[in-house]
Amino acid sequence: MTILLRYASLRLPVLLLSGLLLFSSLTRAQTTTVTGTITDAATNQPLAFANIIFVGTNIGTTSNEKGAFTLSATGNFTKIAVSFIGYKLASRAISPGTSQTVVVKLESDSQLLNEVVIRSGKRERYRNKNNPAVELIRNVISHKEQNQLGNYAYAAYEEYDKLQFSLSSLSTKIADRKIFQKYRFLLNNRDTTTLPGKSLLPVYLEEKLSDHYYRKSPLRDKVVIKGSKRVDFGQYFDSNGLSLYLNRMYSKVDIYSNSIFLMTNQFLSPIANSAPTFYQFYLADTIVVDKTKLVGLNFVPRNPTDMLFEGKMYVTLDSNYAVQKINLTINPRINLNWVRELQIRLQFAQNTDGRYFLSKSDLLADFGVNKSKGGGIFGQRTLSYRNYKTDEALPAQFYDGQQQIVDASAATQPDEFWKANRHDSLSSAESKVYTNIDSLKRMPSFRRTMEALTFVLAGYKSFGAFEIGPANTFYSFNPIEGFRLRVGGRTTPELSKRYYAETYAAYGFKDQRWKYFLSGTYSLNNKSIYQFPQNYIRASFQRDTKIPGQELQFVQEDNFLLSFKRGVNDKWLYNDTWRIDYIHEFENHFSYSLGFKNWQQAPAGGLQFKRVGDDENTPSPTVTTSEFSVEARWAPNEQFYQGKIYRVPIVGRYPVFTLRFAAGVKGLLQGEYNYQNLTATASKRFWLSQLGYSTVTLQGGYIFGQVPFPLLTIHRANQTYAYQLNSYNLMNFLEFVSDRYASVSIDHSFNGFFFNKIPLFKRLKWREAVSFKALYGGLRSENDPQQHPSLYQFPVDTRGVPYTYTLNRTPYLEASAGIANVFKFFRIDLVKRLNYLDHPNVSSWGIRARATLDF
């Protein structure tokens, strides 16, 4: 017995060790690894975020943006199951204990994503109450703050940004045509992998590598750009302006923000505070990835025509309730112009402290005039993030200074730099874009084509250092000049980036007078005067006609279409204006300008400068003023779409403030009056999520001193048939004058919120717009010609009926209701004038139209 016990005691460790070795051997033998891709069976397009699990377990993973996946675990697995909302469940037999590759093609299900319902004998109504999916999303919403970088005192990371544009669905036969044979090197550079089922021809690419630094208190974001590279089309496109416009269209997507701005529209995030009101949420599945339990949530709009996303997200089932992956797309029925397809894929990686940070963002959009067929434009913006560091403070002085710093060598980094620092390599087609476009812009036939397009679209014909235009001012007409011809032009940066000149000459065949303009500009910072930040001085002289109350610009654009006006329009001015202006902008978007103007006004047509006692034969004198002015403007975070010789501000979410002070000096260069004019303006666009957006403008002004009516504030009127946002569209020219005033203008677009819910009507894709304008003003007794006969009398018509009025105690009111997005380009407003209807030649109703370009 003793021997047996000793024998057993000796065998036990041996057996235990042998068992462990055997178990270890069996474990290695039963490690099953499956790699593969998930695609749409009909289109071969990869399916991102498809679910792959070992059958009979909750061990699984999801496919990436290219439809690829790897699933590996220990166990006797013989089958995988693949599911994706909107597709039929698929399963594949696998061999346990081996590594293998599979390709799974999912077939579309007849029940699409936006038609998800729950059935239990009968159709059940969707409810938020007692819905576990809604409870989960509310946990995500309540934990949003802790899952953002803004929750840390300090944060830093590296960002790689790639933006590319391609021509999509361009026929492959086009390269065989004789006329395009010389462009074959470009046309044959096709990409058929990014968007399966479509052939893409890359034509634009830009890359940027930068370090980002964040400080919570005091709040500061700083960016250091280490590398920057993009396609350059030469003189025909402004690279900075094109890049800014494309980056605005393809904005960075922050899923934790309540609203996501894309394609000039605002979408409500599926994890916005109000998301449960506008979205429906459904529990999809539960999987384990890297030992983290994830819950899948499908989401669809309650109303499929609202500006909302649909898709799927995975949420960590831990104390963070963080989004680990999300795939966003849109319903084709929403009121979004020209967008055939939109996909957004975000992936988050776990940091060392357990939080999830964005690791990759991929935004893909396919555009076309026809949403179902024909050629189009495909764009993709990919952002990749790595090297996250949190709560590591840098010296305080590091965060001072400019918000964005560009390394001196950023734009000239060699190819070796990009090969070593790109977060992902370029595709074969992308890698040839830079050299292909360089070759293209050197071809004479391409240059001739671009010059023709520039003239048709921009109205200018370039001759290198000088260009002639704009074409829409070559011919116009008005009651004073009759038939008017004009020709002009300006120098371009090809002549000089420091010196600019602009001129035109015009002749009126009715008044038989010449008009002309000449200006010279000197850039003090050796940059284009149209490039931010501006810093230049300009001197100019202009002799031309003008409608009283219209703000005189450096060049008066007498557009042919604006020749058509309603009502009586015979009271004009002849102006001689000498000006010198200095403009200085700063990186923080504060700017100021200093100016001097000597301005001589002479009446024209039915307008006269008459005092009490003057008879009909008394000639009308001129009014001459010498005026100094200073203006301050602050437009935080303002952006521009700019070409080489123009610049257009892009309306954003930040306010714009302007304060202007002008002072007339009597006796200086024949100036006749002493006065001071103070004007303040504030404007802001308010985004109201699903209810659209409102643009609100407040303005006020006060004139100190005694002046005749040509120097009073002549309120902006509009007698054209074009709807003007900054004018009173049913007010006549010269109808109201004031020496003090306050005004408010509200223009709201509902973006189709109501129209999209009306059956059949919603097919038109129209959008609602409303506006309201109020103007309150007055005139002090010292500026009233009835009390001071030495002042010029207010204008009267041919019958002696007063033509110009003051606002007294009643504000001028105007409202309109409009339909926007008519034929995708036009807005048509029905305008109502609410008071002062007893004035001569006024209309209480009017229809006005304007062209707009919105997605």
Side-chain angles (χ1 to χ4, degrees):
M1 185 68 175
T2 303
I3 295 175
L4 290 175
L5 288 174
R6 287 179 178 176
Y7 180 73
S9 65
L10 290 173
R11 290 190 59 189
L12 187 58
V14 175
L15 289 173
L16 181 60
L17 179 59
S18 300
L20 290 173
L21 292 173
L22 178 61
F23 179 77
S24 176
S25 176
L26 290 174
T27 299
R28 286 195 299 272
Q30 292 178 353
T31 299
T32 304
T33 302
V34 183
T35 60
T37 55
I38 313 298
T39 62
D40 184 299
T43 66
N44 288 325
Q45 183 173 339
L47 298 177
F49 298 164
N51 306 312
I52 307 97
I53 65 170
F54 288 119
V55 173
T57 74
N58 65 350
I59 301 173
T61 188
T62 59
S63 56
N64 63 16
E65 70 276 5
K66 296 181 180 179
F69 72 92
T70 299
L71 179 60
S72 182
T74 300
N76 191 25
F77 309 121
T78 59
K79 188 179 290 187
I80 62 168
V82 182
S83 62
F84 192 70
I85 192 165
Y87 292 83
K88 296 179 180 179
L89 180 69
S91 61
R92 293 290 184 273
I94 58 173
S95 301
T98 63
S99 297
Q100 56 218 282
T101 301
V102 299
V103 176
V104 182
K105 296 180 180 294
L106 298 183
E107 296 181 358
S108 179
D109 198 348
S110 59
Q111 186 166 327
L112 298 177
L113 180 64
N114 61 327
E115 297 170 343
V116 172
V117 296
I118 302 174
R119 287 188 171 89
S120 177
K122 63 178 181 180
R123 183 169 180 171
E124 296 181 2
R125 182 182 177 186
Y126 177 88
R127 296 179 184 275
N128 281 350
K129 188 176 181 180
N130 298 324
N131 185 335
V134 174
E135 293 302 319
L136 179 59
I137 203 65
R138 283 176 174 156
N139 276 320
V140 175
I141 293 170
S142 65
H143 288 77
K144 284 198 304 182
E145 184 177 349
Q146 75 177 48
N147 287 316
Q148 300 180 71
L149 279 179
N151 188 53
Y152 292 90
Y154 298 91
Y157 56 88
E158 182 183 75
E159 177 190 82
Y160 170 69
D161 187 354
K162 181 181 73 174
L163 177 65
Q164 69 104 334
F165 267 72
S166 304
L167 302 180
S168 66
S169 302
L170 191 67
S171 173
T172 56
K173 297 180 180 179
I174 194 171
D176 297 329
R177 297 180 183 177
K178 186 176 181 180
I179 191 173
F180 294 116
Q181 284 186 358
K182 63 178 66 177
Y183 302 104
R184 187 171 293 178
F185 71 95
L186 176 68
L187 297 172
N188 287 337
N189 184 38
R190 304 287 180 128
D191 177 5
T192 58
T193 59
T194 300
L195 204 63
K198 290 190 178 182
S199 175
L200 304 177
L201 179 64
V203 293
Y204 180 82
L205 178 66
E206 71 171 68
E207 301 174 90
K208 186 184 296 180
L209 187 72
S210 55
D211 289 329
H212 291 245
Y213 302 90
Y214 166 82
R215 183 182 64 189
K216 187 174 183 178
S217 182
L219 182 62
R220 186 69 171 168
D221 284 294
K222 191 152 190 173
V223 180
V224 179
I225 298 177
K226 300 183 291 185
S228 179
K229 187 177 184 180
R230 64 185 171 210
V231 164
D232 183 8
F233 287 96
Q235 62 177 322
Y236 307 107
F237 295 96
D238 176 67
S239 298
N240 292 329
L242 181 63
S243 174
L244 179 63
Y245 186 76
L246 295 179
N247 277 274
R248 179 173 171 80
M249 282 181 58
Y250 285 70
S251 305
K252 295 181 181 180
V253 176
D254 180 8
I255 195 64
Y256 287 104
S257 175
N258 284 329
S259 297
I260 297 172
F261 189 86
L262 290 172
M263 317 296 174
T264 71
N265 286 278
Q266 196 173 46
F267 292 78
L268 186 72
S269 168
I271 58 173
N273 295 340
S274 60
T277 304
F278 294 95
Y279 284 97
Q280 294 180 353
F281 296 92
Y282 301 92
L283 290 176
D285 50 21
T286 303
I287 62 174
V288 177
V289 176
D290 297 330
K291 298 181 181 180
T292 301
K293 193 173 185 179
L294 305 176
V295 178
L297 273 178
N298 297 322
F299 51 90
V300 294
R302 289 176 180 265
N303 188 314
T305 60
D306 284 345
M307 285 285 185
L308 299 168
F309 296 109
E310 57 185 36
K312 185 174 185 178
M313 73 176 82
Y314 278 93
V315 177
T316 63
L317 206 58
D318 56 14
S319 60
N320 292 319
Y321 290 100
V323 176
Q324 197 260 356
K325 286 185 180 181
I326 189 167
N327 186 25
L328 305 168
T329 185
I330 58 172
N331 190 298
R333 289 185 286 173
I334 72 170
N335 194 342
L336 191 64
N337 294 331
W338 305 300
V339 179
R340 292 171 172 171
E341 183 178 1
L342 175 67
Q343 294 184 39
I344 303 171
R345 304 160 184 168
L346 306 179
Q347 300 180 42
F348 297 79
Q350 194 170 26
N351 195 35
T352 53
D353 62 356
R355 302 288 175 81
Y356 284 81
F357 297 153
L358 184 64
S359 60
K360 190 171 185 180
S361 170
D362 211 10
L363 193 160
L364 305 90
D366 191 24
F367 302 90
V369 175
N370 188 310
K371 283 195 175 185
S372 59
K373 60 182 179 180
I377 298 176
F378 170 80
Q380 180 177 10
R381 186 178 188 184
T382 301
L383 294 139
S384 180
Y385 304 87
R386 65 187 184 190
N387 300 336
Y388 277 101
K389 298 177 182 179
T390 56
D391 290 333
E392 294 185 13
L394 294 172
Q397 60 269 23
F398 173 82
Y399 300 95
D400 297 335
Q402 296 182 6
Q403 184 175 356
Q404 179 174 286
I405 297 175
V406 181
D407 284 352
S409 60
T412 57
Q413 295 286 11
D415 291 341
E416 291 73 18
F417 169 86
W418 291 104
K419 291 178 181 178
N421 289 280
R422 283 189 184 105
H423 292 194
D424 196 3
S425 60
L426 299 179
S427 67
S428 176
E430 288 174 336
S431 63
K432 299 176 183 177
V433 173
Y434 293 119
T435 55
N436 282 352
I437 299 302
D438 283 341
S439 300
L440 178 68
K441 68 183 182 183
R442 288 194 294 266
M443 298 177 66
S445 58
F446 173 74
R447 293 199 296 268
R448 289 193 297 269
T449 301
M450 294 308 301
E451 288 174 0
L453 287 174
T454 301
F455 181 73
V456 172
L457 298 177
Y460 283 90
K461 174 67 174 78
S462 176
F463 295 93
F466 189 82
E467 61 180 13
I468 294 178
N472 58 17
T473 64
F474 288 168
Y475 162 67
S476 62
F477 58 90
N478 61 67
I480 305 304
E481 299 173 275
F483 173 58
R484 171 183 166 120
L485 293 180
R486 167 180 150 166
V487 63
R490 56 193 178 186
T491 63
T492 71
E494 289 190 31
L495 176 67
S496 171
K497 284 188 177 182
R498 190 174 286 273
Y499 299 95
Y500 291 83
E502 190 168 2
T503 187
Y504 72 76
Y507 185 77
F509 284 81
K510 182 177 180 179
D511 65 355
Q512 298 183 349
R513 290 193 183 192
W514 283 97
K515 293 87 182 176
Y516 47 87
F517 171 82
L518 179 65
S519 77
T521 306
Y522 177 70
S523 174
L524 297 173
N525 58 1
N526 202 28
K527 291 184 178 180
S528 165
I529 60 172
Y530 303 98
Q531 184 176 343
F532 178 83
Q534 295 177 341
N535 187 11
Y536 65 82
I537 187 169
R538 168 180 281 166
S540 66
F541 174 75
Q542 184 179 43
R543 169 170 289 177
D544 210 336
T545 57
K546 177 181 181 292
I547 299 175
Q550 302 303 292
E551 183 65 25
L552 189 65
Q553 303 296 323
F554 288 114
V555 177
Q556 181 176 320
E557 297 293 352
D558 36 5
N559 191 305
F560 168 74
L561 295 177
L562 299 182
S563 299
F564 301 92
K565 294 181 174 67
R566 62 175 176 85
V568 179
N569 179 32
D570 65 343
K571 293 175 174 56
W572 286 57
L573 293 168
Y574 286 114
N575 289 307
D576 282 358
T577 308
W578 296 88
R579 296 187 62 143
I580 183 167
D581 297 276
Y582 171 65
I583 310 293
H584 192 176
E585 292 179 336
F586 297 89
E587 292 286 350
N588 62 357
H589 295 275
F590 173 81
S591 64
Y592 70 88
S593 62
L594 305 173
F596 173 76
K597 177 175 72 172
N598 181 262
W599 182 19
Q600 184 183 87
Q601 303 180 69
L607 183 64
Q608 292 182 319
F609 295 165
K610 294 279 186 180
R611 295 185 176 92
V612 175
D614 291 346
D615 59 31
E616 294 298 324
N617 296 321
T618 302
S620 289
T622 60
V623 174
T624 303
T625 56
S626 293
E627 179 183 281
F628 292 94
S629 64
V630 57
E631 181 176 301
R633 184 176 184 271
W634 185 43
N637 299 297
E638 185 176 40
Q639 292 182 318
F640 304 94
Y641 174 62
Q642 61 186 53
K644 290 185 179 298
I645 44 180
Y646 63 89
R647 188 177 80 168
V648 179
I650 299 173
V651 179
R653 65 179 69 240
Y654 298 95
V656 178
F657 302 97
T658 304
L659 183 65
R660 186 177 189 273
F661 178 77
V665 181
K666 185 176 181 179
L668 177 64
L669 299 178
Q670 300 181 343
E672 301 175 55
Y673 299 95
N674 285 318
Y675 62 88
Q676 298 81 40
N677 191 341
L678 181 65
T679 306
T681 306
S683 63
K684 186 182 186 316
R685 175 164 290 182
F686 296 89
W687 299 93
L688 304 177
S689 189
Q690 295 304 294
L691 293 177
Y693 57 87
S694 287
T695 303
V696 179
T697 302
L698 304 175
Q699 189 175 69
Y702 198 98
I703 297 176
F704 303 87
Q706 187 179 59
V707 292
F709 79 85
L711 299 181
L712 294 174
T713 298
I714 303 175
H715 296 293
R716 292 189 299 268
N718 176 31
Q719 287 186 224
T720 71
Y721 295 97
Y723 184 84
Q724 297 183 13
L725 294 174
N726 297 322
S727 299
Y728 300 96
N729 290 284
L730 290 182
M731 183 185 290
N732 290 333
F733 293 131
L734 203 59
E735 184 176 357
F736 289 102
V737 296
S738 302
D739 60 15
R740 63 189 188 277
Y741 72 95
S743 66
V744 59
S745 173
I746 303 173
D747 187 79
H748 182 82
S749 174
F750 285 100
N751 249 3
F753 182 79
F754 299 107
F755 286 168
N756 292 340
K757 296 173 176 60
I758 303 175
L760 299 180
F761 195 77
K762 61 187 178 183
R763 294 175 179 265
L764 296 171
K765 304 290 187 180
W766 287 352
R767 300 169 184 171
E768 321 85 345
V770 295
S771 70
F772 174 77
K773 298 175 183 178
L775 171 66
Y776 177 80
L779 191 70
R780 301 191 308 276
S781 61
E782 63 184 299
N783 289 318
D784 187 348
Q786 293 184 355
Q787 301 186 42
H788 294 274
S790 61
L791 296 173
Y792 296 132
Q793 299 299 300
F794 287 168
V796 296
D797 63 17
T798 55
R799 298 170 297 171
V801 176
Y803 189 86
T804 300
Y805 303 85
T806 60
L807 287 161
N808 301 321
R809 298 182 178 180
T810 304
Y812 174 88
L813 303 175
E814 188 176 283
S816 71
I819 299 174
N821 209 41
V822 178
F823 302 118
K824 300 183 179 181
F825 284 104
F826 299 100
R827 169 176 164 174
I828 302 174
D829 279 75
L830 177 63
V831 188
K832 170 64 175 173
R833 174 169 168 157
L834 301 176
N835 54 3
Y836 292 101
L837 300 178
D838 57 338
H839 290 183
N841 302 314
V842 300
S843 300
S844 60
W845 294 92
I847 296 177
R848 303 291 178 265
R850 65 190 295 258
T852 61
L853 180 61
D854 292 309
F855 285 91

